[in-house]
Amino acid sequence: MTDLQWARISNDAFNVALFAYIAAMVGYFAHLAFKRDAIWQISRAVAVAGVVANIVSIVARGFAADRVPWGNMYEYSSLLALLVVIGALVVVEGVYKVRSLTGFALMFSVLTMAVAVSFLYVGPGPLVPALNSYWIKIHVQAAIWGSSLFALGGIATIAYLVVDRAERRKLDALGSKDRPPIMGGALDLDADADADAPADLVPDPAEDVETRPAKRRLVPSAAGLDRLAYRIIALAFPIWTFAVIAGAVWAQEAWGRYWGWDPKETWSFITWVIFAGYLHARATNGWKGRRAAFIALVGFASLLVTYYVVNLWIVGLHSYAK
Amino acid sequence: MRTALILLLMIALASVAGSLLPQWPNTPERVMRYRADHPVWGTFLDRAGLFDVFGSWWFVLLTTLLFVSLVACLVPRTRALWRAVRTPPMQAREIDAFPRYAQVAVAADPDQAIDAARWVLRRRRFRVARDPSRPALAGEKGLAREIGSLGFHWALILLLTGVIYGKGTGFSGLIAVVEGQTWVDAEANYDGTIRAGRFFDGGFTGTGLRLREFRSDFQRTGQPMDFVSRVDLLDPDGSVIRREDIRVNHPARIEGLWIHQSSFGWAPVIEVTDGGEVAASGPVVMDRDPAPEGVVEFAMPWRGVVKLPGAGTDGLDRAIELELWPDSRALTALLAEQEPQAMLVEFDPIIRFSVWEGALTDLSTNRLDTTGLDEVSSGIVGAGRTADLADGAALAAGDAGSGATISFTELRQYSVFQVGRDAGVPLVLAAAILVLVGLLPALYSSRRKVWVRADPDGDGSLLRVGGLAMQRKPQFEEEFDRLVGALVSSAGGRRAPDPGAGGPGPDQREPEEHEKVQTP
């Protein structure tokens, strides 16, 4: 096939993926509203079809341009959208059995792809010399994986804050005296309450299996979402650290200095610092729960700045990555 | 830790300012424009160091404070870790007070049960200490978390040390080398001033570099494809060490120097004669005019100047200003259709020149300041041709004209390299790897402790197990359950309830224990 045909396949598959994600997103929200398992299964199948189309689009793009298909913002966005959906399906739904976040992850991917196709589209072409290095495989991949996981962590954090607020309202309405202390974290039952719970509340290992709830709730508790967000961010953080280090190694090779406070370097550092602050806050009493969640949200915003604002509006050495 | 976090946050905020405002080291021309647009505000920002955030005294102060507070935090933690590694796990008096607790009647007698438990825990990589006074033991696992965390933080300090050492003793500068020319590493041979660290010892290696050829490839769209400088790297005595192709992303390294491809340009070889004698001869390194808005930079002509003090009429200084069009079709197109056209390849290059006479104020730069100078003539000369300086007319080969001529012998390219030294790079890289290696156990490992005690009970023993996890408590629940299962089966399994004893059930805690709520 010619490069032109590959390019056409890539663009068509991109549109298919985008529409599949939109349909799946609507389906997942319908599942949240009507709680019907059949809707979930159909939505999931549509999302998987979208993932396949997205992969086809990216691979075809690679053939059309004869290089790695993550050399500009359009391609990076496509891959980011793909990894966020895969992360939602495999990590959040698969490993942690939480279905309620997938619709929001799809929404993130739909927005990312819509922005990419409307404002960032460029035809397939060769890389500028500055990008032509094997480090593009290492540094950019790590950056995309880290970003997609941070995005999922951000989505889980927003969900946590919403559910936490709802739980607090409910407790207020009940006039309960068991209100968790303000800023003292959500009903983090298993994380902290255990420490000072009387020993007899702790179930005997033999009983443990039977007493566990057979079915998980559709929307997890605030504490569960908080933990989920933390785990995803704790997974993303070392990947992001690696991406920054790999970027520095590449900078030494391409520009003769490993760090020069270029806007991209600066913002990736800012994002790193904010999430490092989040991880520390999680380990500090009085900062758990909502306060830490707000730090994670700031980190999420900083990630978006690192990607969009730095590339599009700030002049620097990464400006060619448009 | 709180101080360190606040300082880190302040550094992040300063970085935001540093990325939003133009910075002297990165984009000096934008700083100047900003200062011209905002005279008062710009002066204030400049005084406050906000145009050089990362080199300002307060940024250095913040970084210093951060690392002082980090060290102050790390030293006691490291001591505590050292103690924890060297001392065996502590025995517990009240096992049933721990968050996780189980008790099971097993068949083995107490000593056997504890020996078996010791083996079970050892196999699961617990550090185990036997209680000397009774059949009991304490086990601990997950010191890797603290080791990793401390490794991560110490590695950050190592990283900063490497940065300071490397930047402090290193330097970086730019050199322009014309095809066929040789450059030698000495202070005078750098363009402008080098950026040297505070502790730079001024040592230059004397190694050399000869540019054999420079090649650039472009797509038809004008997008650059590849730049290559084919060079010979030379010993101080001039012998060739090796040949190398220096590209973007492919620097050369020699004697601790990094040589990077930076930019490139044209250098026409010009010969000027005066009264039949050669007054100046050699390549003239040219700069490209900045492109106005909406014009590609490759469409702009290149400028250079030949300065000849005392060579003009009546002993005046003479300067010949040169404007090079490496692809003369672009000039034709511009004159005919007012359409700028990118010049990506060499094609019938021509030079427009104008001759100035008067008093030269500055002999060193590539620019001509025309104050105090008068233009006496101008003309055009093509590659391989000669023109008369007196009237600008083209001369045929062998025609000496007025005796003052300019010849455009050939067109060569020059390549600009960034040459620098940073001895801190290996240290910084090692520290960065250590940061990453420390991070993994710091995030994913968790510290947990278990205690096992066996007391004589009937013809076997009553095994009591307590557990405590500092992190990842939900996972520990499952681990604890599996551990209890393994401990029980290694201690001969569950013992059938003793019908005659009338004691508690085999695996349920005694009823009255529900009332005995103890906190550790």
Side-chain angles (χ1 to χ4, degrees):
Chain A
M1 268 191 274
T2 65
D3 287 355
L4 209 64
Q5 283 169 311
W6 280 119
R8 199 164 299 148
I9 292 173
S10 171
N11 290 354
D12 290 345
F14 185 95
N15 291 336
V16 171
L18 179 55
F19 284 110
Y21 287 163
I22 292 172
M25 173 184 80
V26 172
Y28 267 100
F29 288 147
H31 172 57
L32 265 184
F34 304 115
K35 302 184 173 54
R36 296 275 282 276
D37 244 25
I39 301 179
W40 170 61
Q41 276 157 358
I42 293 167
S43 309
R44 192 178 162 81
V46 174
V48 170
V51 164
V52 172
N54 204 340
I55 292 172
V56 168
S57 165
I58 289 165
V59 171
R61 180 88 182 178
F63 282 119
D66 290 322
R67 56 167 172 78
V68 291
W70 49 84
N72 51 51
M73 279 187 86
Y74 169 77
E75 295 166 8
Y76 188 102
S77 299
S78 178
L79 196 48
L80 182 67
L82 173 73
L83 289 180
V84 167
V85 176
I86 289 181
L89 291 176
V90 174
V91 178
V92 181
E93 268 196 58
V95 177
Y96 293 112
K97 312 285 179 216
V98 174
R99 296 176 193 174
S100 44
L101 295 186
T102 312
F104 299 96
L106 283 161
M107 188 160 81
F108 178 88
S109 289
V110 165
L111 286 175
T112 306
M113 289 177 85
V115 168
V117 78
S118 322
F119 304 114
L120 305 172
Y121 182 79
V122 285
L127 294 173
V128 296
L131 286 177
N132 200 356
S133 159
Y134 62 91
W135 282 102
I136 196 173
K137 290 173 192 154
I138 302 164
H139 165 63
V140 181
Q141 276 294 315
I144 298 184
W145 284 79
S147 303
S148 63
L149 286 169
F150 275 144
L152 279 176
I155 291 165
T157 304
I158 295 169
Y160 156 70
L161 287 170
V162 171
V163 173
D164 181 57
R165 197 184 156 87
E167 282 182 4
R168 275 161 205 278
R169 285 240 175 102
K170 219 174 268 177
L171 284 174
D172 279 346
L174 289 172
S176 161
K177 285 181 180 172
D178 303 331
R179 274 171 63 185
I182 309 290
M183 298 302 196
L187 303 168
D188 207 354
L189 285 175
D190 44 24
D192 285 313
D194 260 6
D196 34 44
D200 56 348
L201 278 180
V202 182
D204 187 279
E207 295 172 1
D208 206 13
V209 185
E210 286 81 26
T211 50
R212 212 162 265 178
K215 259 195 174 175
R216 281 173 187 267
R217 285 187 295 167
L218 186 54
V219 179
S221 64
L225 284 169
D226 187 36
R227 258 204 320 279
L228 178 67
Y230 169 74
R231 286 204 188 130
I232 297 172
I233 291 171
L235 193 63
F237 188 73
I239 300 177
W240 187 258
T241 309
F242 175 74
V244 174
I245 293 172
V249 175
W250 189 4
Q252 175 68 35
E253 207 164 286
W255 301 322
R257 86 289 180 294
Y258 48 83
W259 197 266
W261 296 108
D262 172 67
K264 193 69 148 192
E265 292 168 340
T266 306
W267 275 96
S268 63
F269 168 74
I270 293 168
T271 306
W272 186 87
V273 165
I274 294 171
F275 280 110
Y278 168 81
L279 293 175
H280 280 93
R282 289 273 320 194
T284 310
N285 279 324
W287 274 80
K288 281 177 186 159
R290 284 205 289 174
R291 274 202 204 185
F294 285 121
I295 299 179
L297 280 193
V298 175
F300 184 49
S302 165
L303 179 78
L304 294 180
V305 172
T306 308
Y307 180 38
Y308 287 109
V309 177
V310 168
N311 280 32
L312 296 175
W313 286 289
I314 301 181
V315 176
L317 288 169
H318 279 77
S319 298
Y320 49 69
K322 276 178 190 168
Chain B
M1 190 175 82
R2 189 152 300 180
T3 322
L5 273 177
I6 290 168
L7 286 166
L8 199 60
L9 199 73
M10 287 168 73
I11 287 176
L13 280 177
S15 307
V16 173
S19 81
L20 296 181
L21 288 168
Q23 299 290 295
W24 282 116
N26 301 52
T27 47
E29 68 289 345
R30 289 167 64 88
V31 179
M32 285 191 267
R33 203 182 316 149
Y34 191 98
R35 289 207 52 182
D37 294 348
H38 310 86
V40 179
W41 181 231
T43 306
F44 170 75
L45 291 178
D46 205 15
R47 289 268 165 77
L50 281 158
F51 291 131
D52 186 12
V53 167
F54 306 106
S56 66
W57 63 269
W58 47 267
F59 193 82
V60 174
L61 181 72
L62 279 178
T63 320
T64 314
L65 285 176
L66 170 69
F67 280 83
V68 167
S69 82
L70 204 53
V71 169
C73 185
L74 288 182
V75 168
R77 269 178 71 187
T78 309
R79 272 209 203 119
L81 174 72
W82 182 242
R83 268 197 302 274
V85 169
R86 284 162 49 113
T87 50
M90 287 262 288
Q91 303 297 333
R93 212 170 288 166
E94 306 288 348
I95 288 184
D96 49 8
F98 289 108
R100 307 299 304 164
Y101 174 73
Q103 64 175 48
V104 184
V106 292
D109 68 52
D111 278 320
Q112 277 175 340
I114 289 302
D115 284 342
R118 185 195 180 102
W119 184 77
V120 166
L121 289 172
R122 275 269 165 83
R123 237 181 50 150
R124 292 171 180 239
R125 294 168 184 272
F126 276 83
R127 300 163 67 225
V128 184
R130 175 89 196 247
D131 191 333
S133 58
R134 58 187 156 191
L137 57 79
E140 187 180 3
K141 189 177 174 179
L143 275 178
R145 186 183 181 94
E146 184 68 359
I147 294 171
S149 172
L150 287 172
F152 169 85
H153 288 96
W154 281 117
L156 286 180
I157 289 171
L158 190 66
L159 189 112
L160 189 81
T161 313
V163 172
I164 292 171
Y165 169 69
K167 298 286 170 222
T169 60
F171 76 94
S172 137
L174 292 173
I175 59 167
V177 188
V178 179
E179 283 173 314
Q181 281 191 337
T182 299
W183 168 87
V184 175
D185 179 29
E187 182 159 18
N189 292 345
Y190 285 87
D191 290 0
T193 52
I194 61 166
R195 286 210 282 196
R198 204 155 294 203
F199 314 109
F200 177 57
D201 59 4
F204 292 93
T205 56
T207 48
L209 173 153
R210 179 164 54 232
L211 180 64
R212 289 187 293 130
E213 188 192 7
F214 176 82
R215 292 190 54 178
S216 56
D217 290 313
F218 296 89
Q219 276 191 285
R220 265 181 302 172
T221 56
Q223 193 194 329
M225 295 271 288
D226 196 14
F227 314 125
V228 201
S229 296
R230 300 183 195 283
V231 301
D232 290 332
L233 298 173
L234 308 171
D235 239 6
D237 62 15
S239 60
V240 176
I241 301 171
R242 62 173 186 274
R243 302 200 142 174
E244 201 146 346
D245 289 353
I246 300 178
R247 292 181 151 87
V248 180
N249 276 312
H250 186 86
R253 293 193 62 189
I254 181 165
E255 299 274 324
L257 291 176
W258 291 74
I259 306 173
H260 284 82
Q261 181 68 51
S262 177
S263 61
F264 59 90
W266 296 99
V269 180
I270 301 293
E271 191 179 273
V272 179
T273 62
D274 193 15
E277 283 181 38
V278 175
S281 171
V284 178
V285 171
M286 296 194 139
D287 294 321
R288 185 170 46 206
D289 284 354
E293 196 84 17
V295 177
V296 288
E297 52 180 0
F298 287 107
M300 302 308 292
W302 295 71
R303 267 178 221 292
V305 61
V306 179
K307 292 175 181 172
L308 302 162
T313 46
D314 305 330
L316 287 171
D317 295 335
R318 173 180 282 174
I320 308 167
E321 207 178 13
L322 308 169
E323 182 190 275
L324 168 74
W325 294 79
D327 183 344
S328 55
R329 292 171 298 184
L331 179 60
T332 320
L334 187 68
L335 295 176
E337 300 150 35
Q338 309 293 312
E339 189 65 44
Q341 193 177 310
M343 295 178 282
L344 303 177
V345 290
E346 177 183 336
F347 186 92
D348 280 348
I350 54 165
I351 289 176
R352 296 208 290 193
F353 64 88
S354 43
V355 183
W356 298 75
E357 284 187 349
L360 284 172
T361 48
D362 174 16
L363 292 176
S364 58
T365 59
N366 263 346
R367 292 266 153 201
L368 185 64
D369 179 7
T370 54
T371 48
L373 297 177
D374 296 311
E375 187 173 352
V376 292
S377 65
S378 65
I380 289 183
V381 59
R385 295 182 183 277
T386 304
D388 199 320
L389 284 178
D391 54 7
L395 294 174
D399 187 352
S402 67
T405 63
I406 178 168
S407 304
F408 178 7
T409 319
E410 60 170 318
L411 184 57
R412 293 192 200 166
Q413 288 205 278
Y414 69 87
S415 186
V416 178
F417 300 101
Q418 180 185 314
V419 180
R421 183 170 19 193
D422 187 337
V425 168
L427 188 60
V428 171
L429 181 64
I433 292 170
L434 214 59
V435 162
L436 206 54
V437 169
L439 198 51
L440 300 179
L443 283 176
Y444 305 135
S445 166
S446 64
R447 194 158 173 201
R448 50 245 198 244
K449 301 177 177 179
V450 291
W451 292 267
V452 184
R453 188 190 296 177
D455 293 313
D457 178 49
D459 50 357
S461 50
L462 183 65
L463 197 66
R464 293 199 272 185
V465 190
L468 172 68
M470 319 295 193
Q471 300 89 17
R472 306 194 144 230
K473 285 156 190 167
Q475 283 100 322
F476 181 67
E477 286 181 23
E478 290 166 21
E479 183 187 3
F480 183 82
D481 295 349
R482 283 197 304 274
L483 182 67
V484 170
L487 287 172
V488 168
S489 58
S490 72
R494 263 167 221 272
R495 187 153 45 86
D498 187 357
D507 52 2
Q508 297 297 321
R509 62 185 66 198
E510 293 165 31
E512 57 267 30
E513 279 215 340
H514 287 270
E515 267 73 66
K516 279 200 304 188
V517 174
Q518 293 150 327
T519 41

